[in-house]
Amino acid sequence: DNPSCSPSFSCGDGWCDDDLNREECGWDGGDCCFDTCVNNEVDNIVCGDGGFRCKDKTSNRYKELSQECSDKNLPNPDFVGDGICDPEGYYNTPACDYDGGD
C-alpha cells in the first residue's frame, strides 16, 4: 500500500477519484477508465457516475481515444483526459470521448 494513495478503500470502488487517478495508485483501481471500471454493488456505485477521466495509457479505451483523436491531427492530443475541459476544436466531441471526460 502506498500511503499517498489514501483513502485506500476508495480505490477500485467504481467512482473515479481524481486524487487517486495516478500510476502509483493504480489509476484509482481502474475506476477512471470505461473498460477497467467495475460496478460497486455493495455501495450501489455504477461506473461512470463520477465520470471517466482515463489517464491509464495501458487501457484499451485510452488507446482507442488516442487513436481516434490523433486521426483528427489535434494540435495538443495530451489535452484529452487531462482534467481540464477544452471546448474549442475537436476535443469535446464523441470521437474524443468529450475531451476524455474533462
Side-chain angles (χ1 to χ4, degrees):
D1 283 337
N2 186 333
S4 71
C5 300
S6 175
S8 60
F9 62 82
S10 293
C11 223
D13 66 351
W15 186 273
C16 180
D17 299 289
D18 290 326
D19 54 332
L20 299 175
N21 190 17
R22 48 190 189 187
E23 188 171 17
E24 63 268 21
C25 296
W27 307 109
D28 193 20
D31 292 339
C32 298
C33 296
F34 175 80
D35 62 323
T36 57
C37 187
V38 177
N39 291 331
N40 180 342
E41 294 180 17
V42 173
D43 294 322
N44 201 28
I45 298 173
V46 176
C47 289
D49 283 354
F52 291 112
R53 291 170 294 289
C54 190
K55 296 180 181 179
D56 179 1
K57 294 182 179 175
T58 65
S59 158
N60 289 330
R61 185 65 181 144
Y62 184 94
K63 292 174 189 174
E64 289 170 7
L65 290 173
S66 296
Q67 184 60 50
E68 290 173 26
C69 290
S70 68
D71 289 348
K72 303 299 178 196
N73 295 317
L74 296 176
N76 299 293
D78 291 341
F79 283 9
V80 176
D82 65 355
I84 301 168
C85 181
D86 301 292
E88 289 83 29
Y90 195 78
Y91 303 99
N92 199 26
T93 62
C96 289
D97 197 29
Y98 299 98
D99 198 16
D102 297 339

